[in-house]
Amino acid sequence: MDATQLLKGVLDLAVLAVLRDEDGYGYDILRRLRAAGLEEVGDASVYGTLRRLFNNGLLNSYVVPSDEGPHRKYYALNEAGRAELQSSGKVWQGFASIMEDLLRERGKA
């Protein structure tokens, strides 16, 4: 099974989850996703997802000046983003539970 196809379907949810407890800038979010086990996620995918989530009103953004390079654009969950995280998280948990049931080996009757 191609994990990149699965990732496309859940990247929005993964980004929202990464931002649940701590704001982050693009590369930081990418690093946190990879550290969580999503090694295949690409830079362009994360930046595109951040733009889409922001444009859909699920994230706020702010710029933090940097002494060592360009300013960093940070993203933060807003109330709409938190509601979407909760709603999409429930959908994902239900789907994952169904898949676990389907894949579980059943004893022969």
Side-chain angles (χ1 to χ4, degrees), residues 19 23-26 29 50 54 59-61 73-77:
L19 292 171
D23 301 352
Y25 57 93
I29 293 165
L50 288 168
F54 176 78
L59 300 177
N60 294 333
S61 70
K73 185 175 187 177
Y74 277 75
Y75 292 91
L77 277 185

Side-chain angles (χ1 to χ4, degrees), residues 1-2 5-7 10 15 18 28 32 34 39 42-43 53 63 67 76 79 81 85-86 91 100 102:
M1 172 174 279
D2 184 7
Q5 291 300 315
L6 291 172
L7 184 58
V10 298
V15 168
V18 163
D28 173 57
R32 287 156 56 187
R34 288 179 175 166
E39 291 93 6
D43 301 19
L53 293 173
V63 175
D67 294 333
E79 287 306 312
L85 173 60
Q86 183 176 13
V91 170
E100 285 178 23
L102 288 171

Side-chain angles (χ1 to χ4, degrees), residues 47-103:
Y47 288 103
T49 298
L50 288 168
R51 273 192 305 276
R52 186 175 56 259
L53 293 173
F54 176 78
N55 289 336
N56 289 340
L58 302 176
L59 300 177
N60 294 333
S61 70
Y62 57 94
V63 175
V64 174
S66 173
D67 294 333
E68 299 176 6
H71 299 329
R72 292 186 173 152
K73 185 175 187 177
Y74 277 75
Y75 292 91
L77 277 185
N78 57 28
E79 287 306 312
R82 289 187 187 284
E84 180 64 26
L85 173 60
Q86 183 176 13
S87 173
S88 292
K90 286 180 182 177
V91 170
W92 171 256
Q93 289 170 341
F95 180 78
S97 176
I98 291 168
M99 290 304 300
E100 285 178 23
D101 288 346
L102 288 171
L103 294 172

